[in-house]
Amino acid sequence: MTRRLSVIGLGKLGVPMAVLFAHKGFSVIGVDVHSALIESLNRKQCPIYEPGVPELLESLRGTLTATDDYKYAIQNSEVSFIVVPTPSEENGGFATKYVEAAAERIAGNLKHKDDFHLIVLTSTVLPGATASLKDLLERISGKECGVDFGLCYSPEFIALGSVLQGLTNPDLVLIGESDPKSGEMLSQVYRHVCQNTPPIVRTNFCNAELAKILLNAYVTMKISFANIMAEMCEKIPGGDVNAVSHILGLDSRIGRKYLSGGLGFGGPCFPRDNRAVACSAQSLGMADRLARATDEVNRDQNARIVGVIKEKLGRLKGSAIAILGLTYKAQTDVVEESAAVEIAKILLGEGCRVSVYDPAGMDNARSTLGDGVKYASSAEECLRDTEFCLLATPWEEFKTLRAEAFTKNMKRPALLDCWRIFDRSEFSERLEYLAIGLSSSHNSR
Ligand SMILES: NC(=O)c1ccc[n+]([C@@H]2O[C@H](COP(=O)([O-])OP(=O)(O)OC[C@H]3O[C@@H](n4cnc5c(N)ncnc54)[C@H](O)[C@@H]3O)[C@@H](O)[C@H]2O)c1
Protein backbone atom coordinates (compact mmCIF):
# COMPACT_ATOMS: atom_id res chain seq x y z
CA MET A 1 0.00 0.00 0.00
CA THR A 2 1.23 3.47 -0.93
CA ARG A 3 2.15 5.43 2.17
CA ARG A 4 4.10 8.45 0.93
CA LEU A 5 2.39 11.25 -1.00
CA SER A 6 3.37 14.67 -2.27
CA VAL A 7 0.95 17.49 -3.04
CA ILE A 8 2.26 20.10 -5.49
CA GLY A 9 0.44 23.43 -5.10
CA LEU A 10 -0.66 24.43 -1.61
CA GLY A 11 -3.70 26.60 -2.26
CA LYS A 12 -7.42 26.40 -1.54
CA LEU A 13 -7.58 22.77 -2.66
CA GLY A 14 -3.98 21.58 -2.14
CA VAL A 15 -3.80 22.51 1.55
CA PRO A 16 -6.98 20.62 2.58
CA MET A 17 -5.83 17.62 0.52
CA ALA A 18 -2.35 17.59 2.08
CA VAL A 19 -3.68 18.04 5.61
CA LEU A 20 -6.37 15.39 5.18
CA PHE A 21 -3.94 12.85 3.67
CA ALA A 22 -1.59 13.39 6.61
CA HIS A 23 -4.50 13.07 9.04
CA LYS A 24 -5.40 9.75 7.40
CA GLY A 25 -1.92 8.39 8.15
CA PHE A 26 -0.02 9.12 4.94
CA SER A 27 3.38 10.71 5.09
CA VAL A 28 2.86 13.90 3.08
CA ILE A 29 5.24 16.40 1.48
CA GLY A 30 3.61 19.64 0.31
CA VAL A 31 5.38 21.60 -2.42
CA ASP A 32 4.82 25.22 -3.37
CA VAL A 33 6.73 28.09 -4.90
CA HIS A 34 5.72 30.57 -2.19
CA SER A 35 8.01 30.54 0.83
CA ALA A 36 5.45 32.25 3.09
CA LEU A 37 2.98 29.42 2.47
CA ILE A 38 5.62 26.80 3.19
CA GLU A 39 6.75 28.45 6.41
CA SER A 40 3.19 28.89 7.57
CA LEU A 41 2.32 25.22 7.00
CA ASN A 42 5.51 24.07 8.72
CA ARG A 43 4.51 26.17 11.73
CA LYS A 44 1.12 24.40 11.60
CA GLN A 45 -0.61 27.66 10.74
CA CYS A 46 -3.21 27.21 8.06
CA PRO A 47 -2.53 29.61 5.15
CA ILE A 48 -6.08 29.42 3.73
CA TYR A 49 -9.64 29.95 4.93
CA GLU A 50 -11.42 26.60 4.99
CA PRO A 51 -13.58 25.32 7.88
CA GLY A 52 -12.04 22.41 9.80
CA VAL A 53 -8.61 22.55 8.15
CA PRO A 54 -6.79 24.70 10.78
CA GLU A 55 -7.94 22.38 13.57
CA LEU A 56 -6.91 19.27 11.64
CA LEU A 57 -3.51 20.79 10.85
CA GLU A 58 -2.91 21.74 14.46
CA SER A 59 -3.65 18.23 15.67
CA LEU A 60 -1.27 16.55 13.16
CA ARG A 61 1.75 14.73 14.54
CA GLY A 62 4.63 15.42 12.11
CA THR A 63 3.40 13.64 8.97
CA LEU A 64 3.17 16.80 6.84
CA THR A 65 6.17 18.83 5.78
CA ALA A 66 6.14 21.65 3.24
CA THR A 67 9.02 22.57 0.96
CA ASP A 68 9.94 24.11 -2.39
CA ASP A 69 12.33 21.23 -3.05
CA TYR A 70 10.91 19.07 -5.85
CA LYS A 71 13.86 16.68 -5.70
CA TYR A 72 13.18 15.90 -2.05
CA ALA A 73 9.44 15.54 -2.72
CA ILE A 74 9.81 13.16 -5.68
CA GLN A 75 12.51 11.04 -4.05
CA ASN A 76 10.48 10.70 -0.85
CA SER A 77 7.01 10.01 -2.19
CA GLU A 78 5.36 7.43 -4.42
CA VAL A 79 2.42 9.52 -5.63
CA SER A 80 2.44 13.26 -6.54
CA PHE A 81 -0.79 15.24 -6.86
CA ILE A 82 -0.54 18.36 -9.05
CA VAL A 83 -2.96 20.98 -7.68
CA VAL A 84 -1.63 24.19 -9.21
CA PRO A 85 -3.79 26.92 -10.83
CA THR A 86 -5.13 26.62 -14.37
CA PRO A 87 -6.34 30.21 -14.90
CA SER A 88 -8.87 31.06 -17.58
CA GLU A 89 -7.66 32.40 -20.88
CA GLU A 90 -9.31 35.07 -23.01
CA ASN A 91 -11.18 32.49 -25.13
CA GLY A 92 -12.52 30.62 -22.05
CA GLY A 93 -9.94 27.81 -22.13
CA PHE A 94 -7.56 26.99 -19.27
CA ALA A 95 -3.91 27.96 -19.25
CA THR A 96 -1.68 24.98 -18.44
CA LYS A 97 1.57 26.90 -17.91
CA TYR A 98 1.67 26.20 -14.14
CA VAL A 99 0.83 22.52 -14.67
CA GLU A 100 3.62 22.31 -17.24
CA ALA A 101 6.07 24.10 -14.95
CA ALA A 102 5.29 21.63 -12.16
CA ALA A 103 5.43 18.65 -14.53
CA GLU A 104 8.83 19.73 -15.89
CA ARG A 105 10.24 19.79 -12.36
CA ILE A 106 8.69 16.40 -11.58
CA ALA A 107 9.95 14.85 -14.81
CA GLY A 108 13.47 16.22 -14.28
CA ASN A 109 13.56 14.39 -10.97
CA LEU A 110 11.96 11.21 -12.31
CA LYS A 111 15.08 10.80 -14.45
CA HIS A 112 17.00 9.96 -11.30
CA LYS A 113 14.40 7.73 -9.69
CA ASP A 114 14.31 3.98 -10.29
CA ASP A 115 11.03 3.21 -8.52
CA PHE A 116 7.63 3.56 -10.19
CA HIS A 117 6.12 6.99 -9.48
CA LEU A 118 2.48 7.96 -9.98
CA ILE A 119 1.59 11.51 -11.03
CA VAL A 120 -1.99 12.60 -10.46
CA LEU A 121 -3.26 15.73 -12.17
CA THR A 122 -5.99 17.24 -9.98
CA SER A 123 -6.07 20.74 -11.52
CA THR A 124 -8.99 21.32 -13.87
CA VAL A 125 -7.95 21.05 -17.53
CA LEU A 126 -9.61 20.91 -20.95
CA PRO A 127 -9.92 17.67 -22.93
CA GLY A 128 -6.58 16.70 -24.44
CA ALA A 129 -4.42 18.36 -21.78
CA THR A 130 -3.54 15.16 -19.88
CA ALA A 131 -2.34 13.44 -23.05
CA SER A 132 -0.09 16.45 -23.74
CA LEU A 133 1.17 16.23 -20.17
CA LYS A 134 2.04 12.57 -20.71
CA ASP A 135 4.14 13.53 -23.75
CA LEU A 136 5.91 16.26 -21.76
CA LEU A 137 6.67 13.90 -18.85
CA GLU A 138 8.02 11.20 -21.18
CA ARG A 139 10.11 13.65 -23.16
CA ILE A 140 11.80 15.24 -20.16
CA SER A 141 12.19 12.15 -17.98
CA GLY A 142 13.21 9.86 -20.84
CA LYS A 143 10.90 7.26 -19.28
CA GLU A 144 7.80 5.47 -20.48
CA CYS A 145 4.35 6.27 -19.10
CA GLY A 146 2.53 3.14 -17.92
CA VAL A 147 5.85 1.34 -17.39
CA ASP A 148 8.29 3.54 -15.44
CA PHE A 149 5.76 5.99 -14.14
CA GLY A 150 1.98 6.37 -14.20
CA LEU A 151 -0.31 9.30 -14.91
CA CYS A 152 -3.91 9.85 -13.81
CA TYR A 153 -6.29 12.76 -14.31
CA SER A 154 -8.39 12.83 -11.18
CA PRO A 155 -10.31 16.08 -10.69
CA GLU A 156 -12.11 16.92 -7.46
CA PHE A 157 -15.77 17.95 -7.25
CA ILE A 158 -15.50 19.69 -3.90
CA ALA A 159 -17.13 22.99 -2.93
CA LEU A 160 -15.16 25.60 -0.99
CA GLY A 161 -16.50 25.86 2.54
CA SER A 162 -17.03 22.11 2.76
CA VAL A 163 -13.83 20.78 1.18
CA LEU A 164 -13.08 18.22 3.91
CA GLN A 165 -16.60 16.84 3.67
CA GLY A 166 -16.28 16.74 -0.14
CA LEU A 167 -12.97 14.89 0.03
CA THR A 168 -14.04 12.35 2.63
CA ASN A 169 -17.61 11.75 1.43
CA PRO A 170 -17.66 12.29 -2.33
CA ASP A 171 -20.58 11.19 -4.52
CA LEU A 172 -18.04 9.70 -6.87
CA VAL A 173 -14.32 9.38 -7.44
CA LEU A 174 -13.17 9.92 -11.00
CA ILE A 175 -9.93 8.52 -12.36
CA GLY A 176 -8.69 8.88 -15.93
CA GLU A 177 -5.75 6.47 -16.04
CA SER A 178 -2.74 5.80 -18.24
CA ASP A 179 -2.77 2.12 -17.22
CA PRO A 180 -4.55 -0.24 -14.77
CA LYS A 181 -1.69 -0.33 -12.25
CA SER A 182 -1.79 3.47 -11.88
CA GLY A 183 -5.59 3.54 -11.59
CA GLU A 184 -5.47 0.84 -8.91
CA MET A 185 -2.74 2.62 -6.95
CA LEU A 186 -4.80 5.80 -6.85
CA SER A 187 -8.03 3.92 -6.03
CA GLN A 188 -6.29 2.50 -2.96
CA VAL A 189 -5.38 5.99 -1.76
CA TYR A 190 -8.99 7.15 -2.18
CA ARG A 191 -10.41 4.06 -0.50
CA HIS A 192 -8.26 4.91 2.51
CA VAL A 193 -9.27 8.58 2.55
CA CYS A 194 -13.02 8.26 1.91
CA GLN A 195 -15.30 7.65 4.85
CA ASN A 196 -18.09 6.51 2.53
CA THR A 197 -17.73 3.96 -0.25
CA PRO A 198 -18.23 6.05 -3.38
CA PRO A 199 -18.24 4.55 -6.86
CA ILE A 200 -14.70 4.82 -8.20
CA VAL A 201 -15.07 5.38 -11.92
CA ARG A 202 -11.97 4.48 -13.92
CA THR A 203 -11.77 5.57 -17.51
CA ASN A 204 -9.44 7.12 -20.06
CA PHE A 205 -8.06 10.66 -19.84
CA CYS A 206 -10.52 12.38 -22.18
CA ASN A 207 -13.68 10.94 -20.63
CA ALA A 208 -12.50 12.11 -17.21
CA GLU A 209 -11.61 15.54 -18.62
CA LEU A 210 -14.99 15.89 -20.34
CA ALA A 211 -16.91 14.66 -17.28
CA LYS A 212 -15.25 17.21 -14.98
CA ILE A 213 -16.17 20.34 -16.94
CA LEU A 214 -19.54 19.02 -18.13
CA LEU A 215 -20.62 18.18 -14.60
CA ASN A 216 -19.99 21.73 -13.45
CA ALA A 217 -21.65 23.12 -16.59
CA TYR A 218 -24.73 21.02 -15.81
CA VAL A 219 -24.89 22.38 -12.26
CA THR A 220 -24.54 25.98 -13.47
CA MET A 221 -27.27 25.39 -16.04
CA LYS A 222 -29.49 24.20 -13.19
CA ILE A 223 -28.69 27.31 -11.14
CA SER A 224 -29.56 29.60 -14.06
CA PHE A 225 -32.78 27.62 -14.55
CA ALA A 226 -33.61 28.07 -10.84
CA ASN A 227 -32.97 31.81 -11.15
CA ILE A 228 -35.36 32.07 -14.08
CA MET A 229 -37.89 30.08 -12.06
CA ALA A 230 -37.45 32.53 -9.15
CA GLU A 231 -38.08 35.52 -11.43
CA MET A 232 -41.25 33.91 -12.79
CA CYS A 233 -42.47 33.30 -9.24
CA GLU A 234 -41.96 36.97 -8.39
CA LYS A 235 -44.15 38.06 -11.30
CA ILE A 236 -47.18 35.90 -10.50
CA PRO A 237 -49.32 36.79 -7.45
CA GLY A 238 -48.83 34.07 -4.84
CA GLY A 239 -45.65 32.82 -6.53
CA ASP A 240 -43.12 31.32 -4.12
CA VAL A 241 -39.94 29.74 -5.42
CA ASN A 242 -39.47 27.77 -2.20
CA ALA A 243 -42.72 25.93 -2.92
CA VAL A 244 -42.00 25.42 -6.62
CA SER A 245 -38.43 24.21 -6.16
CA HIS A 246 -39.60 21.85 -3.42
CA ILE A 247 -42.08 20.31 -5.86
CA LEU A 248 -39.59 20.01 -8.73
CA GLY A 249 -36.94 18.68 -6.38
CA LEU A 250 -39.13 15.75 -5.37
CA ASP A 251 -38.89 14.40 -8.90
CA SER A 252 -35.91 12.05 -8.98
CA ARG A 253 -35.04 13.22 -12.49
CA ILE A 254 -34.38 16.69 -11.07
CA GLY A 255 -33.44 16.62 -7.36
CA ARG A 256 -33.46 19.50 -4.90
CA LYS A 257 -29.82 20.62 -4.96
CA TYR A 258 -28.87 23.93 -6.63
CA LEU A 259 -32.53 24.64 -7.33
CA SER A 260 -33.14 27.36 -4.71
CA GLY A 261 -33.13 30.47 -6.89
CA GLY A 262 -31.20 33.47 -5.62
CA LEU A 263 -28.19 35.39 -6.84
CA GLY A 264 -26.12 34.19 -9.78
CA PHE A 265 -23.32 31.67 -9.37
CA GLY A 266 -19.73 32.83 -8.86
CA GLY A 267 -16.47 31.68 -7.34
CA PRO A 268 -13.29 30.25 -8.81
CA CYS A 269 -14.86 27.21 -10.56
CA PHE A 270 -18.47 27.45 -11.81
CA PRO A 271 -18.29 30.50 -14.10
CA ARG A 272 -15.01 29.50 -15.69
CA ASP A 273 -15.81 25.79 -16.05
CA ASN A 274 -19.00 26.78 -17.82
CA ARG A 275 -17.13 29.12 -20.15
CA ALA A 276 -14.60 26.33 -20.77
CA VAL A 277 -17.41 24.07 -22.00
CA ALA A 278 -18.48 26.80 -24.43
CA CYS A 279 -14.85 27.14 -25.56
CA SER A 280 -14.48 23.35 -26.02
CA ALA A 281 -17.75 23.10 -27.95
CA GLN A 282 -16.63 25.91 -30.22
CA SER A 283 -13.23 24.34 -30.84
CA LEU A 284 -15.02 21.12 -31.82
CA GLY A 285 -17.07 23.03 -34.39
CA MET A 286 -20.25 22.69 -32.33
CA ALA A 287 -22.83 25.31 -31.39
CA ASP A 288 -22.07 26.43 -27.86
CA ARG A 289 -25.55 27.87 -27.19
CA LEU A 290 -26.39 26.15 -23.94
CA ALA A 291 -23.27 27.04 -21.94
CA ARG A 292 -23.40 30.60 -23.31
CA ALA A 293 -27.08 30.96 -22.38
CA THR A 294 -26.30 29.77 -18.85
CA ASP A 295 -23.57 32.37 -18.60
CA GLU A 296 -25.79 35.11 -20.04
CA VAL A 297 -28.66 34.37 -17.65
CA ASN A 298 -26.14 34.46 -14.85
CA ARG A 299 -24.72 37.82 -15.80
CA ASP A 300 -28.20 39.30 -16.40
CA GLN A 301 -29.06 38.39 -12.82
CA ASN A 302 -26.84 41.17 -11.43
CA ALA A 303 -28.47 43.83 -13.64
CA ARG A 304 -31.88 42.49 -12.64
CA ILE A 305 -31.10 42.94 -8.94
CA VAL A 306 -29.88 46.49 -9.54
CA GLY A 307 -33.16 47.09 -11.43
CA VAL A 308 -35.17 45.89 -8.43
CA ILE A 309 -33.27 48.29 -6.15
CA LYS A 310 -33.76 51.20 -8.56
CA GLU A 311 -37.48 50.52 -8.88
CA LYS A 312 -37.88 50.42 -5.13
CA LEU A 313 -35.91 53.62 -4.47
CA GLY A 314 -37.05 55.48 -7.57
CA ARG A 315 -33.40 56.40 -8.26
CA LEU A 316 -29.89 55.08 -7.72
CA LYS A 317 -27.67 58.16 -7.80
CA GLY A 318 -26.89 59.35 -4.30
CA SER A 319 -28.76 56.54 -2.53
CA ALA A 320 -27.15 54.76 0.40
CA ILE A 321 -27.10 50.98 0.04
CA ALA A 322 -25.90 48.31 2.43
CA ILE A 323 -24.66 44.96 1.14
CA LEU A 324 -24.55 42.13 3.66
CA GLY A 325 -22.31 39.34 2.36
CA LEU A 326 -19.62 39.66 -0.29
CA THR A 327 -18.28 36.14 -0.73
CA TYR A 328 -19.73 34.04 -3.55
CA LYS A 329 -21.16 31.66 -0.94
CA ALA A 330 -21.10 31.29 2.83
CA GLN A 331 -18.19 29.56 4.62
CA THR A 332 -15.47 30.90 2.37
CA ASP A 333 -13.45 34.10 2.08
CA VAL A 334 -13.39 33.96 -1.74
CA VAL A 335 -14.99 36.89 -3.58
CA GLU A 336 -13.84 35.94 -7.10
CA GLU A 337 -16.72 36.51 -9.56
CA SER A 338 -19.05 36.94 -6.59
CA ALA A 339 -22.45 38.38 -7.54
CA ALA A 340 -22.40 40.65 -4.47
CA VAL A 341 -19.13 42.25 -5.52
CA GLU A 342 -20.29 42.62 -9.13
CA ILE A 343 -23.51 44.30 -7.94
CA ALA A 344 -21.51 46.59 -5.64
CA LYS A 345 -19.44 47.67 -8.66
CA ILE A 346 -22.56 48.43 -10.70
CA LEU A 347 -24.08 50.43 -7.83
CA LEU A 348 -20.87 52.42 -7.39
CA GLY A 349 -20.88 53.13 -11.12
CA GLU A 350 -24.43 54.46 -10.77
CA GLY A 351 -23.33 56.92 -8.10
CA CYS A 352 -24.64 55.05 -5.03
CA ARG A 353 -22.98 55.21 -1.62
CA VAL A 354 -22.29 51.59 -0.75
CA SER A 355 -21.43 50.09 2.63
CA VAL A 356 -20.46 46.46 2.90
CA TYR A 357 -19.91 43.79 5.53
CA ASP A 358 -18.92 40.15 5.30
CA PRO A 359 -17.84 37.82 8.11
CA ALA A 360 -14.82 36.48 6.17
CA GLY A 361 -14.39 38.19 2.81
CA MET A 362 -13.54 41.80 3.76
CA ASP A 363 -9.81 41.63 3.01
CA ASN A 364 -10.34 39.99 -0.37
CA ALA A 365 -13.16 42.44 -1.22
CA ARG A 366 -10.91 45.39 -0.42
CA SER A 367 -8.52 44.46 -3.20
CA THR A 368 -11.41 44.25 -5.69
CA LEU A 369 -13.61 47.14 -4.59
CA GLY A 370 -10.90 49.55 -3.48
CA ASP A 371 -11.61 52.66 -1.43
CA GLY A 372 -14.94 53.54 -3.03
CA VAL A 373 -17.06 51.72 -0.45
CA LYS A 374 -17.45 51.90 3.30
CA TYR A 375 -16.16 48.76 5.00
CA ALA A 376 -18.19 48.12 8.15
CA SER A 377 -17.05 45.96 11.03
CA SER A 378 -20.49 44.50 11.75
CA ALA A 379 -23.84 43.98 10.04
CA GLU A 380 -25.45 46.69 12.16
CA GLU A 381 -22.74 49.22 11.32
CA CYS A 382 -23.16 48.35 7.65
CA LEU A 383 -26.90 49.10 7.83
CA ARG A 384 -26.47 52.44 9.59
CA ASP A 385 -28.05 55.39 7.74
CA THR A 386 -28.71 53.39 4.58
CA GLU A 387 -32.04 53.24 2.74
CA PHE A 388 -31.79 49.84 1.12
CA CYS A 389 -30.16 46.58 2.15
CA LEU A 390 -29.15 43.74 -0.15
CA LEU A 391 -28.76 40.47 1.77
CA ALA A 392 -26.41 38.83 -0.70
CA THR A 393 -24.74 35.85 1.05
CA PRO A 394 -26.66 33.58 3.43
CA TRP A 395 -24.11 33.49 6.27
CA GLU A 396 -25.36 31.95 9.54
CA GLU A 397 -24.42 35.20 11.28
CA PHE A 398 -27.04 37.10 9.23
CA LYS A 399 -29.78 34.58 9.98
CA THR A 400 -29.73 35.70 13.61
CA LEU A 401 -30.50 39.34 12.71
CA ARG A 402 -33.92 40.51 13.84
CA ALA A 403 -36.10 43.10 12.08
CA GLU A 404 -35.05 45.67 14.75
CA ALA A 405 -31.48 45.59 13.44
CA PHE A 406 -32.85 47.06 10.20
CA THR A 407 -35.47 49.43 11.63
CA LYS A 408 -33.11 50.79 14.28
CA ASN A 409 -30.16 51.46 11.98
CA MET A 410 -31.53 52.25 8.54
CA LYS A 411 -32.91 55.58 7.39
CA ARG A 412 -35.76 54.03 5.42
CA PRO A 413 -35.67 50.31 6.06
CA ALA A 414 -36.06 48.29 2.88
CA LEU A 415 -34.51 44.89 2.34
CA LEU A 416 -34.00 42.52 -0.58
CA ASP A 417 -33.43 39.07 0.90
CA CYS A 418 -31.75 37.17 -1.94
CA TRP A 419 -31.90 33.78 -0.20
CA ARG A 420 -35.14 34.15 1.80
CA ILE A 421 -33.34 33.65 5.10
CA PHE A 422 -35.69 35.89 7.11
CA ASP A 423 -39.21 35.23 8.26
CA ARG A 424 -41.40 36.98 5.74
CA SER A 425 -44.36 37.71 7.98
CA GLU A 426 -42.22 39.06 10.83
CA PHE A 427 -40.12 41.23 8.53
CA SER A 428 -43.00 42.47 6.35
CA GLU A 429 -44.71 43.90 9.41
CA ARG A 430 -41.68 45.94 10.39
CA LEU A 431 -40.05 47.02 7.14
CA GLU A 432 -40.31 46.92 3.39
CA TYR A 433 -39.36 43.32 2.75
CA LEU A 434 -38.65 41.96 -0.73
CA ALA A 435 -37.23 38.58 -1.55
CA ILE A 436 -35.93 36.95 -4.71
CA GLY A 437 -38.45 34.36 -5.82
CA LEU A 438 -41.42 35.66 -3.81
CA SER A 439 -44.17 37.69 -5.43
CA SER A 440 -44.95 40.89 -3.56
CA SER A 441 -48.60 39.89 -3.12
CA HIS A 442 -48.30 36.75 -1.10
CA ASN A 443 -51.16 34.33 -0.74
CA SER A 444 -50.30 31.11 0.97
CA ARG A 445 -53.06 29.03 -0.67
N1 LIG B 1 -10.69 25.82 -5.31
C1 LIG B 1 -11.64 25.01 -5.72
O1 LIG B 1 -12.78 25.05 -5.27
C2 LIG B 1 -11.34 23.95 -6.76
C3 LIG B 1 -12.26 22.91 -6.95
C4 LIG B 1 -12.02 21.95 -7.93
C5 LIG B 1 -10.88 22.09 -8.72
N2 LIG B 1 -10.01 23.12 -8.53
C6 LIG B 1 -8.85 23.22 -9.40
O2 LIG B 1 -7.68 22.97 -8.64
C7 LIG B 1 -6.61 23.77 -9.14
C8 LIG B 1 -6.02 24.56 -8.00
O3 LIG B 1 -7.00 25.42 -7.50
P1 LIG B 1 -6.84 26.22 -6.13
O4 LIG B 1 -8.11 26.91 -5.91
O5 LIG B 1 -6.29 25.36 -5.05
O6 LIG B 1 -5.70 27.27 -6.58
P2 LIG B 1 -4.93 28.31 -5.65
O7 LIG B 1 -4.60 29.45 -6.53
O8 LIG B 1 -5.67 28.55 -4.39
O9 LIG B 1 -3.57 27.55 -5.27
C9 LIG B 1 -2.63 27.06 -6.18
C10 LIG B 1 -1.25 26.96 -5.51
O10 LIG B 1 -0.33 26.43 -6.48
C11 LIG B 1 0.93 27.07 -6.27
N3 LIG B 1 1.78 26.93 -7.45
C12 LIG B 1 1.71 27.57 -8.65
N4 LIG B 1 2.65 27.12 -9.48
C13 LIG B 1 3.34 26.15 -8.82
C14 LIG B 1 4.43 25.30 -9.15
N5 LIG B 1 4.99 25.33 -10.36
N6 LIG B 1 4.89 24.45 -8.21
C15 LIG B 1 4.32 24.40 -7.00
N7 LIG B 1 3.29 25.16 -6.62
C16 LIG B 1 2.79 26.04 -7.52
C17 LIG B 1 0.55 28.50 -5.94
O11 LIG B 1 1.60 29.17 -5.29
C18 LIG B 1 -0.68 28.30 -5.06
O12 LIG B 1 -0.32 28.21 -3.69
C19 LIG B 1 -7.18 24.61 -10.27
O13 LIG B 1 -6.97 23.98 -11.50
C20 LIG B 1 -8.66 24.61 -9.96
O14 LIG B 1 -9.45 24.79 -11.11
C21 LIG B 1 -10.21 24.04 -7.55
Side-chain angles (χ1 to χ4, degrees):
M1 159 83 184
T2 307
R3 300 238 57 90
R4 298 175 308 152
L5 312 177
S6 48
V7 176
I8 320 266
L10 299 170
K12 297 182 287 297
L13 182 53
V15 166
M17 285 173 69
V19 172
L20 179 67
F21 290 157
H23 171 73
K24 290 284 180 179
F26 292 99
S27 170
V28 182
I29 302 169
V31 182
D32 205 285
V33 289
H34 279 138
S35 52
L37 273 177
I38 295 166
E39 283 158 24
S40 151
L41 265 180
N42 285 333
R43 283 197 309 268
K44 293 203 165 67
Q45 283 170 356
C46 188
I48 54 145
Y49 182 98
E50 182 58 41
V53 178
E55 295 79 2
L56 213 55
L57 175 62
E58 221 181 295
S59 67
L60 287 182
R61 297 269 170 266
T63 45
L64 172 62
T65 50
T67 177
D68 60 359
D69 186 346
Y70 271 84
K71 182 176 176 197
Y72 174 77
I74 301 307
Q75 287 298 333
N76 292 288
S77 65
E78 296 142 271
V79 183
S80 297
F81 291 82
I82 302 179
V83 203
V84 300
T86 46
S88 294
E89 292 180 315
E90 192 84 354
N91 67 356
F94 299 137
T96 51
K97 58 184 176 184
Y98 299 108
V99 171
E100 282 154 19
E104 280 168 18
R105 301 289 303 277
I106 294 171
N109 286 291
L110 280 184
K111 258 191 207 163
H112 313 292
K113 186 173 179 180
D114 294 330
D115 297 337
F116 187 87
H117 194 93
L118 174 62
I119 297 142
V120 182
L121 177 60
T122 307
S123 302
T124 309
V125 294
L126 286 186
T130 315
S132 304
L133 192 66
K134 171 180 166 286
D135 295 343
L136 182 152
L137 290 164
E138 286 187 325
R139 182 166 44 78
I140 295 178
S141 68
K143 301 205 167 187
E144 191 181 342
C145 183
V147 178
D148 307 311
F149 70 91
L151 177 63
C152 290
Y153 176 58
S154 186
E156 290 293 347
F157 298 100
I158 54 90
L160 294 183
S162 56
V163 176
L164 291 178
Q165 169 67 13
L167 292 172
T168 51
N169 290 279
D171 287 346
L172 79 152
V173 167
L174 177 57
I175 299 176
E177 63 195 36
S178 58
D179 62 290
K181 177 181 169 179
S182 300
E184 185 47 38
M185 230 173 130
L186 184 56
S187 301
Q188 274 187 24
V189 173
Y190 285 132
R191 277 197 283 269
H192 192 75
V193 170
C194 294
Q195 282 157 8
N196 61 350
T197 45
I200 298 182
V201 184
R202 290 171 52 184
T203 180
N204 60 18
F205 292 154
C206 80
N207 287 332
E209 290 163 334
L210 280 165
K212 164 64 185 173
I213 53 170
L214 288 170
L215 189 145
N216 275 359
Y218 189 90
V219 175
T220 53
M221 183 179 70
K222 196 172 176 188
I223 295 171
S224 278
F225 179 87
N227 287 341
I228 288 174
M229 193 165 83
E231 190 176 353
M232 287 180 87
C233 290
E234 285 165 31
K235 291 180 188 301
I236 298 176
D240 177 346
V241 76
N242 289 332
V244 180
S245 59
H246 172 67
I247 297 162
L248 265 73
L250 288 173
D251 189 307
S252 61
R253 290 171 299 181
I254 298 176
R256 181 64 186 79
K257 287 183 178 172
Y258 294 98
L259 203 61
S260 297
L263 286 185
F265 56 83
C269 291
F270 278 166
R272 75 190 204 103
D273 287 3
N274 186 62
R275 287 196 287 268
V277 168
C279 166
S280 292
Q282 215 171 35
S283 70
L284 295 168
M286 294 165 56
D288 56 355
R289 287 192 294 273
L290 199 50
R292 287 212 186 276
T294 297
D295 195 39
E296 247 169 61
V297 170
N298 197 52
R299 273 184 285 111
D300 288 353
Q301 196 69 4
N302 295 338
R304 177 172 107 74
I305 300 302
V306 173
V308 171
I309 300 173
K310 185 173 182 181
E311 194 184 322
K312 193 42 58 188
L313 294 176
R315 74 198 192 296
L316 284 174
K317 198 171 170 55
S319 43
I321 296 171
I323 300 182
L324 292 180
L326 295 167
T327 51
Y328 79 99
K329 56 178 286 200
Q331 301 284 57
T332 179
D333 65 348
V334 175
V335 300
E336 201 176 326
E337 298 211 36
S338 140
V341 167
E342 293 306 314
I343 292 169
K345 285 181 192 165
I346 303 175
L347 292 173
L348 286 171
E350 293 287 341
C352 300
R353 284 181 289 124
V354 179
S355 60
V356 297
Y357 171 69
D358 187 279
M362 296 297 265
D363 288 345
N364 287 337
R366 245 177 253 273
S367 51
T368 316
L369 289 172
D371 294 334
V373 301
K374 175 185 158 195
Y375 296 94
S377 54
S378 68
E380 299 219 10
E381 189 195 330
C382 181
L383 294 171
R384 210 155 294 153
D385 297 327
T386 59
E387 52 200 303
F388 195 95
C389 171
L390 181 74
L391 186 292
T393 316
W395 282 96
E396 286 302 316
E397 180 179 326
F398 299 148
K399 292 181 186 169
T400 62
L401 289 171
R402 300 269 58 91
E404 290 74 53
F406 297 85
T407 51
K408 216 173 64 194
N409 289 296
M410 295 177 74
K411 263 197 311 215
R412 264 177 42 200
L415 164 67
L416 176 59
D417 179 354
C418 296
W419 299 99
R420 303 169 300 282
I421 67 170
F422 298 120
D423 183 79
R424 180 184 204 172
S425 45
E426 180 200 333
F427 273 66
S428 300
E429 272 176 24
R430 311 287 308 275
L431 56 121
E432 188 137 13
Y433 177 81
L434 307 168
I436 289 188
L438 298 184
S439 76
S440 49
S441 61
H442 182 59
N443 53 32
S444 53
R445 283 282 175 277

